[in-house]
Amino acid sequence: MPATPTHPVTAPAPRFAELMACLAGACELAMGQSADHALHSCAVSMRLAQAASLCGNELRNVYYQALLRFIGCNADAEAMASIAGDVIGLRQATAPLDMAQTQAVVAALIRNIRQTHDGEAMMPKAAAILHGLLHAGRFAQDIFPGHCEVAQRLGRRLGFDERFITGLGQLYARWDGKGVPAIKGNALMPAVRVAMLAQDVLIHHRQGGWPAVEALMHARSGKQYDPDLAARVLTLGPALVADLPGDWASVLAMEPPPHEHLEGAALDSAMAVLADYSDIQSPWLIGHARRVAALACAAARNMGMPTQDEHTLHLAALVHDIGRVGVSAHIWAHPGPLSQSDRDRMQLHSLYTTQILSRAPSLRALARLAGGVHERLDGSGYVGGLDASAQSPMARVLAAADVVAALGEARPHRPPFQPERIVDIVNDEVRQGRLDAQAAQAVLHVAGMACRPQTAPPLPAGLSAREAEVLGELARGLTNKEIARQLGSAPKTVGHQVQSVYRKIGVSTRAGATLFAMENGLVAPPR
């Protein structure tokens, strides 16, 4: 490998709050909000909480609810896309709405489906609208509960206390009990009540200034919102949203103590949360980040790279695709060639990755490495068009690992490539000057080693081999009937096995089961 820049990424251990700011940045992209939404909602939430005399751990919970309220919402994104089309567009359209006002919500759904299918003939567009209306009930039945369950599992992995975890499960709850789950009044965690209200205040203030906020408080007090908090908003007046911070350093300074730092296993675990948050967006992506990380680390060892570089590659690989959440799931699920417009939007995900990770000052060098995974040595990659002179040995290994992992996974428009074909494609990329020869050969070598028969580890939670197989297929997005067909079983038998899996692993939704499968390495590459 020729001499190239090393771009060292060693830095002080990041603060926990820094990494949560990165996750919040991913969430606001996935929800279609502006780049300062999480920053401002955190500031407004803290002002409102302090005015309501919240303190201690409750104040800390407000801080993190404002940042992480939507960490479960990337689950089932492809299912949402099959109903509503552009998921991010739908979230933008419904964010200002009272979700209990069915007529307004249905109208927004229809508009979103029309916009997604703009340019298509009338009959396919009408069929898409009919399909969306017929299946819209899934949102309350299983999609919203799945979001809550995934959020709670991720929250536990991040080490939050049980009051905070309970709040993550109340994302769609309302003061009047007409939300999901159907709890009401003081059963809603104080941090949830504050963050919900603060974020809606910001959305309506952007749209119509303080008069819009006043109208919102009068309309939804005692319905969606805690009436005492709504009254406090009116008492505070425009000062509540005045002089909001313009940078993340100000918000990090607001974090109630303790100010924890992450390193070693704790940092690895937190970065794995970001990886799973990203990959759960689509069954085509489940487990991709972890597979890239395994290949990159093994290749680095094979090449004799320093241990620090191997660890850096592990972290970068886990989060290299977190920017995918800023591209709506219907684009990733498209079964044919993308339009130029959609291709341009798709390629932005690498830029989003860099922007998300750069919110943590200690991760900015890692952000450049992770965000450059689609660059190529001849300058033909994206987003920066960087050539060989700007790509370090680690960057070259990461690029090769991503290519090999992706080729071995199915995509909506193709099945996975067989190993022999993967070797041919990668070698051609090397000959064309796009991938580094040494890095590519190291990745291919360790990928071949990984395919050798190995002793299977014990299955978690007392799962039988068949139940683990069923869980793996469920995580790939298959219905019970499709799993039965895949495994040569009866749908009723699979249904019983799915319920047994749920009981053993302690989940109640497909999204929760999918995350468990990801956490425990039970998801085979999409095929």
Side-chain angles (χ1 to χ4, degrees):
M1 183 179 293
T4 54
T6 57
H7 300 316
V9 297
T10 54
R15 270 177 58 184
F16 179 75
E18 286 183 85
L19 212 58
M20 296 307 98
C22 295
L23 187 49
C27 289
E28 67 190 7
L29 273 173
M31 299 304 294
Q33 297 296 337
S34 63
D36 59 3
H37 182 73
L39 184 155
H40 288 170
S41 66
C42 187
V44 172
S45 294
M46 293 297 283
R47 291 176 182 180
L48 184 57
Q50 288 163 342
S53 300
L54 296 182
C55 58
N57 199 53
E58 207 64 71
L59 192 61
R60 183 175 174 83
N61 284 350
V62 168
Y63 181 87
Y64 282 110
Q65 279 286 349
L67 293 179
L68 304 178
R69 186 172 168 229
F70 297 107
I71 60 169
C73 292
N74 213 33
D76 283 330
E78 189 163 312
M80 294 174 66
S82 71
I83 297 169
D86 182 351
V87 174
I88 294 177
L90 180 70
R91 288 167 172 164
Q92 288 176 319
T94 56
L97 302 181
D98 182 343
M99 298 300 285
Q101 295 181 347
T102 305
Q103 187 173 353
V105 174
V106 169
L109 173 64
I110 292 173
R111 283 195 302 272
N112 192 72
I113 296 172
R114 281 178 176 156
Q115 289 168 0
T116 302
H117 295 272
D118 187 38
E120 295 183 14
M122 183 176 67
M123 289 304 293
K125 188 180 296 186
I129 292 172
L130 179 60
H131 175 84
L133 293 175
L134 289 174
H135 292 86
R138 283 197 59 197
F139 283 96
Q141 291 167 3
D142 57 3
I143 292 177
F144 289 167
H147 290 174
C148 295
E149 187 162 55
V150 166
Q152 290 181 310
R153 290 192 70 88
L154 294 177
R156 284 195 180 91
R157 286 169 57 186
L158 290 169
F160 287 107
D161 65 29
E162 282 305 309
R163 281 183 67 80
F164 186 84
I165 301 301
T166 298
L168 287 176
Q170 298 176 348
L171 171 61
Y172 301 105
R174 295 166 52 97
W175 181 262
D176 60 9
K178 295 181 179 179
V180 178
I183 58 173
K184 63 180 180 179
N186 288 325
L188 275 72
M189 291 290 108
V192 173
R193 287 178 254 159
V194 170
M196 174 201 308
L197 185 52
Q199 290 175 348
D200 284 359
V201 163
L202 278 171
I203 290 170
H204 285 262
H205 186 260
R206 289 193 185 105
Q207 292 183 338
W210 191 253
V213 174
E214 290 179 322
L216 177 71
M217 294 303 104
H218 290 303
R220 300 191 195 176
S221 176
K223 298 176 182 177
Q224 184 177 356
Y225 307 141
D226 177 342
D228 290 340
L229 283 177
R232 201 170 294 276
V233 167
L234 295 174
T235 300
L236 290 169
L240 179 62
V241 292
D243 301 319
L244 293 174
D247 59 77
W248 276 97
S250 302
V251 174
L252 292 174
M254 294 179 194
E255 183 199 14
H259 297 166
E260 302 170 2
H261 287 76
L262 297 173
E263 52 189 339
L267 178 58
D268 292 349
S269 179
M271 295 292 259
V273 167
L274 271 67
D276 291 345
Y277 165 81
S278 171
D279 282 2
I280 205 171
Q281 181 184 27
S282 167
W284 303 102
L285 307 174
I286 296 293
H288 174 73
R290 290 175 182 257
R291 283 188 284 275
V292 174
L295 286 173
C297 289
R301 283 194 299 274
N302 179 268
M303 295 168 64
M305 296 177 74
T307 302
Q308 177 60 43
D309 287 1
E310 182 184 332
H311 186 234
T312 296
L313 273 169
H314 174 71
L315 298 179
L318 286 175
V319 294
H320 77 278
D321 267 345
I322 194 168
R324 281 181 182 267
V325 303
V327 180
S328 191
H330 76 286
I331 293 178
W332 299 117
H334 188 68
L338 295 177
S339 67
Q340 187 59 51
S341 174
D342 282 348
R343 180 172 292 278
D344 290 343
R345 292 166 68 186
M346 178 274 291
Q347 291 185 350
L348 284 173
H349 81 272
S350 289
L351 176 62
Y352 295 153
T353 292
T354 304
Q355 291 174 340
I356 288 167
L357 298 175
S358 293
R359 289 191 173 185
S362 57
L363 295 182
R364 282 174 184 158
L366 187 79
R368 291 191 293 272
L369 176 61
V373 69
H374 297 293
E375 301 290 358
R376 295 294 178 260
L377 299 183
D378 63 353
S380 64
Y382 60 88
V383 175
L386 303 178
D387 63 17
S389 65
Q391 295 185 44
S392 69
M394 284 190 292
R396 298 170 184 223
V397 170
L398 184 59
D402 180 62
V403 168
V404 171
L407 290 173
E409 300 162 352
R411 291 293 182 262
H413 59 285
R414 62 158 176 82
F417 290 101
Q418 295 301 308
E420 298 81 4
R421 181 63 180 136
I422 293 175
V423 171
D424 289 342
I425 293 172
V426 171
N427 285 337
D428 186 61
E429 289 291 292
V430 171
R431 283 192 295 271
Q432 296 295 327
R434 290 189 282 268
L435 291 178
D436 179 84
Q438 185 181 357
Q441 290 308 310
V443 172
L444 288 173
H445 176 71
V446 299
M449 291 172 59
C451 293
R452 294 175 184 171
Q454 298 178 359
T455 302
L459 293 171
L463 293 175
S464 69
R466 189 59 159 185
E467 288 170 338
E469 197 173 10
V470 168
L471 176 57
E473 299 299 333
L474 180 151
R476 292 178 50 233
L478 273 62
T479 65
N480 287 2
K481 287 184 178 179
E482 290 169 335
I483 295 172
R485 190 160 52 247
Q486 183 77 28
L487 301 182
S489 186
K492 189 172 182 179
T493 300
V494 170
H496 291 315
Q497 290 167 334
V498 168
Q499 292 307 311
S500 176
V501 168
Y502 281 12
R503 285 193 300 273
K504 288 183 178 181
I505 68 177
V507 304
S508 59
T509 66
R510 293 177 71 91
T514 297
L515 183 56
F516 180 92
M518 295 169 70
E519 293 166 346
N520 289 278
L522 299 178
V523 185
R527 58 179 184 269

